[in-house]
Amino acid sequence: MNIILIGYMGSGKSTIGKKLSQILDFEYVDLDNYIEEKEKNTISGIFKTKGEIYFRKIEKKYLEEVLRLPNSVISLGGGTPCYGDNMKLITEAEDSKSVYLKASIPQLVMRLKDEKNKRPLISHLKSEEQLVEFIGKHLFERSVFYNQSNVTLSVDNKSVNSIVEEVILQLF
Ligand code: S3P
């Protein structure tokens, strides 16, 4: 069985994914890292040299690859479910469950404000106010995809351990 973690940038997909995979003794795959290894470039580097359209194209190709892996916890990128028919691929993937890690705007702003550099979509935003406005609009647009997940879990003010526990309780 595969567990697919979905959520906005900064929602904790990687941290939760790693811990969950250890507890379940599953493989852990982070789609962003997978892309970086395959392309021998960082996500920021790919955006800079080849542009976002190229990134979305290869993101889909590598999504299809990771969905075929056995017994894995897979953390997607924040935008992965929101392009082309990716969310359809995710929901129709065999023997897999998707989990939306739902964080509020203030919580995302808090987590992302000092980490903008690694994230090409928000690295140009200067003030916290701009970040609040951007995330608000962007999250609203993306929620329609995120909300198609099998399970939605609020992550605000919860510890990693309690989120992992909740995921397990919901899925097994
Ligand atoms: C993106 C999120 C990033 C990465 C890329 C684009 C997005 O992943 O895939 O920078 O569109 O939200 P994280 O959610 O792991 O930061």
Side-chain angles (χ1 to χ4, degrees):
M1 169 184 179
N2 282 343
I3 301 172
I4 303 163
L5 299 181
I6 287 173
Y8 201 74
M9 293 177 269
S11 58
K13 301 181 294 290
S14 305
T15 313
I16 303 299
K18 266 178 223 157
K19 183 89 194 196
L20 188 61
S21 68
Q22 285 163 3
I23 291 178
L24 296 175
D25 199 18
F26 276 27
E27 289 298 320
Y28 174 65
V29 187
D30 181 305
L31 182 60
D32 283 338
N33 293 343
Y34 188 90
I35 295 172
E36 291 183 335
E37 275 168 31
K38 294 278 181 180
E39 294 285 307
K40 300 188 176 51
N41 198 352
T42 60
I43 300 294
S44 302
I46 299 170
F47 267 73
K48 220 175 274 166
T49 55
K50 307 246 175 107
E52 184 173 355
I53 293 174
Y54 175 80
F55 174 77
R56 296 302 172 193
K57 209 165 107 188
I58 56 162
E59 179 182 48
K60 181 190 179 61
K61 173 175 115 183
Y62 294 127
L63 169 68
E64 286 173 336
E65 282 184 26
V66 299
L67 289 178
R68 287 197 289 265
L69 298 169
N71 290 333
S72 304
V73 175
I74 305 168
S75 303
L76 302 182
T80 317
C82 315
Y83 290 86
D85 61 351
N86 290 358
M87 195 60 201
K88 189 163 179 276
L89 293 175
I90 295 162
T91 51
E92 290 178 359
E94 221 173 293
D95 200 20
S96 67
K97 291 276 180 214
S98 51
V99 178
Y100 170 27
L101 301 178
K102 185 174 182 177
S104 67
I105 298 167
Q107 200 76 177
L108 292 169
V109 171
M110 212 168 67
R111 293 185 194 185
L112 290 170
K113 65 180 179 200
D114 301 318
E115 279 194 28
K116 287 186 297 194
N117 293 345
K118 280 183 275 172
R119 295 177 157 102
L121 292 180
I122 54 170
S123 56
H124 63 289
L125 301 170
K126 301 272 181 297
S127 64
E128 197 170 316
E129 224 181 343
Q130 284 179 318
L131 193 60
V132 174
E133 199 188 316
F134 180 88
I135 295 175
K137 280 190 190 152
H138 208 200
L139 187 60
F140 179 73
E141 287 164 10
R142 289 181 164 187
S143 296
V144 54
F145 299 98
Y146 295 160
N147 286 331
Q148 294 171 39
S149 303
N150 295 117
V151 170
T152 296
L153 227 145
S154 283
V155 295
D156 280 11
N157 306 313
K158 289 181 186 163
S159 67
V160 172
N161 284 341
S162 66
I163 297 167
V164 167
E165 208 172 286
E166 271 191 63
V167 173
I168 293 172
L169 280 173
Q170 295 268 356
L171 291 182
F172 296 96

